[in-house]
Amino acid sequence: MAERQIPSARRFKLDPIWLAGPGILYLILLLIVPAAGLMFLSFRDASGNLSFETYRQMFGAGIYVQVLVNTFSIAIQTTIACLLVGYPLAYWLARMPETRRRVVMWLVLLPFWMSALLKNFAWMVLLSRRGVLSQILTGLGMGGPVDLLYGRGVVVFAMAHTMLPLAALTMLPTLLSLDFGLARAAKTLGASGGQAFWRVVFPLSMPGVAAAGLLVFISSLGFFITPALLGSPRETVIGQLLITQVQQLLNWQLAGAIAVMLLVVTLAVCLVYDRAFGISAVSGERGDRNSNGVFARLGRLVIAGLAWATDLLAAVFDKVPGFKRRDWLLTAFCVAVMMMLLVPVLIFVPMAFGSSSFLEFPPRGYSLRWFETYWSSPNWTGATMRSFAIAIVSALLASAISSIAAFGVARSTSRAGNLAFLMFMLPMIIPNIVIAVALFYLFAQIGLVATDAGIALGHTLTALPVVFVIILTTFKSYDWRLDQAAATLGATKTDTIRKVTWPIIKGSVVAAFLFGFLHSFEELTIALFVGGGVRQTLPKQMWDDVLLQVSPTLAAASVIILAVVTIVFVAAERARPR
Amino acid sequence: MANKFGVTRRNLLKVGAGAATALTAPAIFTKGAFGAEVLKIQDMGGAFEKGFRAAFYESFEKENNVKISVTTNGPDPIPQYKMVVDTKTNLFDVCMMTPEHVFRMKALGGEYMQKLKIKVADPENYVAGSITDEFAGVAVFALALGYRKDTFGDKGPKNFQDFWNVEAFKGRRGLWRSPVLTMELALLADGVPMEQLYPLDVDRAFKSLDKIRKHVDVWWTTGAQSTQLIQSGELDLMSIWSTRAQTAIDDGAPVSLAWGQGFYNIDGWTIPVGTPNTELANKFVEYCMNAERQAKYTDILACGPANVKSYQYIKAERAKLLPTAPENVKGLRPLNADYWGKNQTALTERFEKWMLS
């Protein structure tokens, strides 16, 4: 689709890649410099001399390594769960007619933009020993109250629940671009259904699966909300330790060392990934690699085994009456998954209108008292105002930087385009908790800690990948011959931009702005560190409330957030060009 | 097509803008609506705010023609307090802390809390540790043993030896995920008398914890979580702050507190360095150091007044639920802020290591 302009030889011209300059400068100043500073700090002692004391302390104490192992095993389990459930979901979405897919995608994405904090709290209420699910299970004769919370199982479940939309969404482009005619061809040539799927469709969709796996894995590494709220001590993760070190003990050397350890391991994972799949697969581009190594052969063996098992299962099912047609199985599974995604979001509505002083489901009576508490509390209204202001500023900044850069990268013919793309993806590849600690460290030195500007700058940084990708996609499919046509017809450069380019890309810039807004509006980690407890955003206020009060005011606030997010999200999806 | 969707989009954006305006409206109306001087107070929120409003805020506002605006402390007030003073953000003029917080603030070095300039009429009536140079205690709360009455009936556990007795008292257990006081409880359970606890025999405490660990289902970390756990019946018996348990009891949950053994801590006022309202702040703190006024919050907030003379003004029925009531305070000792100020970091590391092992 993307038609590249033939480079004109008329006169020397700067490659448009330079337009990515401001964005790259921003990333260097706010991400690379502070991360490097934190790294250097960890190699110094209290008086500033070079020393490995911090690392000796870290590895000597034992608990940090143990916690790192925890963090990794939880992240891997979450990734596996997400891929197993997300693949059928993405496959189902890909086979759907375009118009219906858009509607269903909204339903998948809506819970994604709701804060993880809320969803986890909903699980605390729903899965408690005397909660709804436990009562249902008891009623079914499972005997006694059922203990579901505070263990590895529920942590992995809740984290996978949070990441599932991300996984499905990342796999979707690959599945969409896949030619399902190939499967039909395989069948014509005598392959069974199982063989056609495992030997043809599945290998072709691997880049998407790998990209989803990487993204989910990295996001899981920096995640601390779920283990803190739903886990037992055995689920302690690195994020919790970082918060303790920075906020309670004010031990910067150790915090730096922990962050560096996490960063190094993450980058190592990315490197391995790049060797195996090529990092650009994250953006949905496919790298074709054929190899005959041990792993490739092993992989083909596994696939052959899976195909055989599927055929066997199908043969068994064929014997069962009424199971001749099985298409509905996938639909039923996906509908169940989607209901599961929406449940914790929706239960906040009745809880917010409850009259008890606790979050209970189902609520005992109905009242508006918690909304009144919300409106009349300067803590809550102040935090809401601040969140709106910060979200608007960071979304504006992020879309401005990204629009210019995306234009540059899309028009560039230089190899630096790939590098610029990677740079913009960095905030997604580095765990957000490391970014937050590094920013806090930088801002503490230049007086930006505990300021709204500091939080907005941080949110701009982490919003860049999403905003950039949305705009870049549009520029890549933009037909530049339209510009040439306009020029031929006598339009000036400004006229072309105003009357031709802008109307076409406007929708996606608006959408990018709104997604940037949503990102900031929901962001907790950076607000937690950079806000310094003085500048409360709405998610930070909710985090405090979860730790301190757990009053239904929280549910009232959640309903308001749900409303805002839904409105913005619908607006953003509508704005996106189709 | 673009046109059609453009219209829809604009409408949606209008709705969004409308919602935003609606959201911001209340804040505009509440902020500085009156010309009066404003005193910014930060307390623990929830029942604290309501109780203090009835006992102190309302009458102080009227008598002095000032307006009091209230914000809530975070889970750990120290980082915020430090940030407020360091960045000269006037977030509050008076802030609620505990003696342990004061101790930790002082350990940071630097000037963070002002010396109070107040006169207390009857210092002899105050619980030990309530009044220091920077701190004026008003409300006492205790870590004690909470249990579900629907599980144990009348035969509830009385002390932490009972808590450790997993045969006689069957149920899901919870303890605080902190060495602070959990170590003390473990030693009490192992038979160490209250008077001989300090300095703590740390090894013996961990041995005692080893015995109970596989019966502890939840190690709670925050106050809110502890209330939720006992209120929802997720746990049957646990160590819990008295105020947190009382919140569940007041809501009708079948929960009871055993006062046989426990430790108390004090919430009180401090004034940060750099507030423009030092004089008014001191006036307010002094106003709160009054037996009759402190008695007034006990109907709403289940803290014991730091001034024990307050019990003259409290109904006997309510008094028996409060930590500083003569019958309850017998089994309680103050939290040793001095010991924990010195040993918390090292013991926390060892405790966490034990947790993960």
Side-chain angles (χ1 to χ4, degrees), chain A residues 177-242:
Chain A
S177 65
L178 201 147
D179 185 357
F180 283 97
L182 291 172
R184 233 175 300 134
K187 281 186 192 159
T188 317
L189 294 170
S192 65
Q195 298 279 353
F197 173 78
W198 287 109
R199 286 185 191 268
V200 178
V201 177
F202 185 72
L204 284 173
S205 62
M206 259 326 265
V209 175
L214 182 74
L215 281 186
V216 171
F217 181 74
I218 288 170
S219 312
S220 305
L221 283 182
F223 214 67
F224 59 91
I225 300 168
T226 308
L229 292 180
L230 301 178
S232 73
R234 284 174 196 287
E235 278 77 53
T236 307
V237 296
I238 218 93
Q240 287 161 279
L241 284 192
L242 270 175

Side-chain angles (χ1 to χ4, degrees), chain B residues 84-254:
Chain B
V84 160
V85 175
D86 287 347
T87 61
K88 299 192 176 62
T89 314
N90 177 226
L91 207 62
F92 43 73
D93 303 310
V94 180
C95 180
M96 180 145 267
M97 303 276 268
T98 69
E100 185 229 343
H101 292 142
V102 172
F103 200 97
R104 278 169 56 203
M105 285 301 297
K106 281 182 165 175
L108 292 177
E111 288 279 308
Y112 288 105
M113 290 159 296
Q114 297 192 26
K115 293 229 178 340
L116 299 177
K117 296 188 199 82
I118 58 166
K119 276 197 208 75
V120 182
D122 52 345
E124 68 281 1
N125 287 333
Y126 278 77
V127 174
S130 300
I131 305 170
T132 63
D133 282 354
E134 299 94 351
F135 177 82
V138 289
V140 177
F141 56 104
L143 189 82
L145 173 55
Y147 61 90
R148 292 281 295 198
K149 284 194 286 192
D150 52 351
T151 308
F152 294 109
D154 297 333
K155 297 188 213 72
K158 298 213 160 31
N159 53 41
F160 283 90
Q161 269 156 331
D162 289 351
F163 187 95
W164 253 248
N165 185 346
V166 292
E167 292 302 315
F169 298 92
K170 287 195 165 53
R172 267 165 75 85
R173 289 166 155 73
L175 283 174
W176 187 14
R177 185 174 176 177
S178 161
V180 182
L181 298 185
T182 303
M183 307 283 287
E184 279 96 328
L185 297 182
L187 289 170
L188 289 174
D190 207 35
V192 179
M194 238 341 165
E195 280 65 34
Q196 293 165 27
L197 281 175
Y198 300 98
L200 298 178
D201 183 343
V202 177
D203 293 328
R204 184 169 173 183
F206 277 112
K207 275 207 193 87
S208 174
L209 284 172
D210 280 335
K211 289 181 204 153
I212 196 77
R213 82 185 287 169
K214 69 170 187 291
H215 304 283
V216 177
D217 299 278
V218 181
W219 292 89
W220 57 269
T221 49
T222 69
Q225 191 192 8
S226 68
T227 310
Q228 181 85 14
L229 288 167
I230 197 86
Q231 189 268 343
S232 65
E234 184 75 26
L235 294 180
D236 298 307
L237 65 168
M238 67 191 295
S239 65
I240 187 168
W241 294 106
S242 58
T243 39
R244 295 297 185 174
Q246 195 61 41
T247 314
I249 296 170
D250 289 343
D251 191 59

Side-chain angles (χ1 to χ4, degrees), chain A residues 475-494:
Chain A
F475 274 129
K476 279 209 166 154
S477 60
Y478 182 81
D479 191 344
W480 299 105
R481 284 171 304 185
L482 291 173
D483 284 18
Q484 292 167 338
T488 317
L489 296 169
T492 63
K493 268 211 165 135
T494 6

Side-chain angles (χ1 to χ4, degrees), chain A residues 433-512:
Chain A
I433 188 112
V434 175
I435 298 182
V437 173
L439 276 178
F440 186 50
Y441 170 68
L442 173 76
F443 287 171
Q445 295 166 44
I446 55 177
L448 273 175
V449 162
T451 60
D452 295 338
I455 304 177
L457 287 174
H459 282 178
T460 306
L461 180 71
T462 46
L464 277 181
V466 171
V467 174
F468 179 74
V469 164
I470 293 176
I471 301 179
L472 183 67
T473 321
T474 312
F475 274 129
K476 279 209 166 154
S477 60
Y478 182 81
D479 191 344
W480 299 105
R481 284 171 304 185
L482 291 173
D483 284 18
Q484 292 167 338
T488 317
L489 296 169
T492 63
K493 268 211 165 135
T494 6
D495 276 343
T496 315
I497 289 177
R498 211 159 54 86
K499 293 191 174 149
V500 179
T501 317
W502 175 245
I504 292 177
I505 63 157
K506 187 174 67 177
S508 82
V509 174
V510 170

Side-chain angles (χ1 to χ4, degrees), chain A residues 113 473 554 573:
Chain A
W113 288 108
T473 321
L554 188 71
E573 278 296 326

Side-chain angles (χ1 to χ4, degrees), chain A residues 29-227:
Chain A
L29 285 181
L30 271 90
L31 185 59
I32 295 182
V33 167
L38 201 59
M39 201 181 283
F40 284 126
L41 188 74
S42 70
F43 289 105
R44 296 184 183 278
D45 60 16
S47 51
N49 300 316
L50 186 72
S51 142
F52 293 97
E53 185 50 39
T54 315
Y55 285 88
R56 206 175 357 248
Q57 189 190 345
M58 183 169 77
F59 289 107
I63 69 168
Y64 301 102
V65 176
Q66 173 69 43
V67 168
L68 191 72
V69 171
N70 276 354
T71 312
F72 269 78
S73 70
I74 290 175
I76 288 172
Q77 286 164 340
T78 305
T79 310
I80 292 172
C82 274
L83 294 182
L84 286 181
V85 181
Y87 190 88
L89 188 62
Y91 185 84
W92 182 62
L93 283 168
R95 303 303 308 267
M96 226 176 241
E98 166 88 31
T99 40
R100 202 184 334 150
R101 181 166 60 239
R102 285 200 158 254
V103 179
V104 179
M105 289 262 291
W106 280 11
L107 293 177
V108 176
L109 275 170
L110 190 63
F112 180 63
W113 288 108
M114 289 299 293
S115 106
L117 203 57
L118 288 183
K119 286 181 280 187
N120 286 325
F121 208 79
W123 294 126
M124 268 170 87
V125 174
L126 285 176
L127 304 181
S128 85
R129 193 160 59 127
R130 299 184 197 209
V132 184
L133 187 65
S134 175
Q135 278 172 19
I136 293 173
L137 291 177
T138 312
L140 290 173
M142 303 282 282
V146 191
D147 302 328
L148 300 160
L149 290 175
Y150 310 111
R152 177 62 61 97
V154 72
V155 168
V156 172
F157 166 76
M159 278 178 66
H161 181 274
T162 307
M163 310 279 175
L164 186 61
L166 178 69
L169 205 70
T170 320
M171 285 188 259
L172 192 58
T174 320
L175 282 165
L176 276 178
S177 65
L178 201 147
D179 185 357
F180 283 97
L182 291 172
R184 233 175 300 134
K187 281 186 192 159
T188 317
L189 294 170
S192 65
Q195 298 279 353
F197 173 78
W198 287 109
R199 286 185 191 268
V200 178
V201 177
F202 185 72
L204 284 173
S205 62
M206 259 326 265
V209 175
L214 182 74
L215 281 186
V216 171
F217 181 74
I218 288 170
S219 312
S220 305
L221 283 182
F223 214 67
F224 59 91
I225 300 168
T226 308

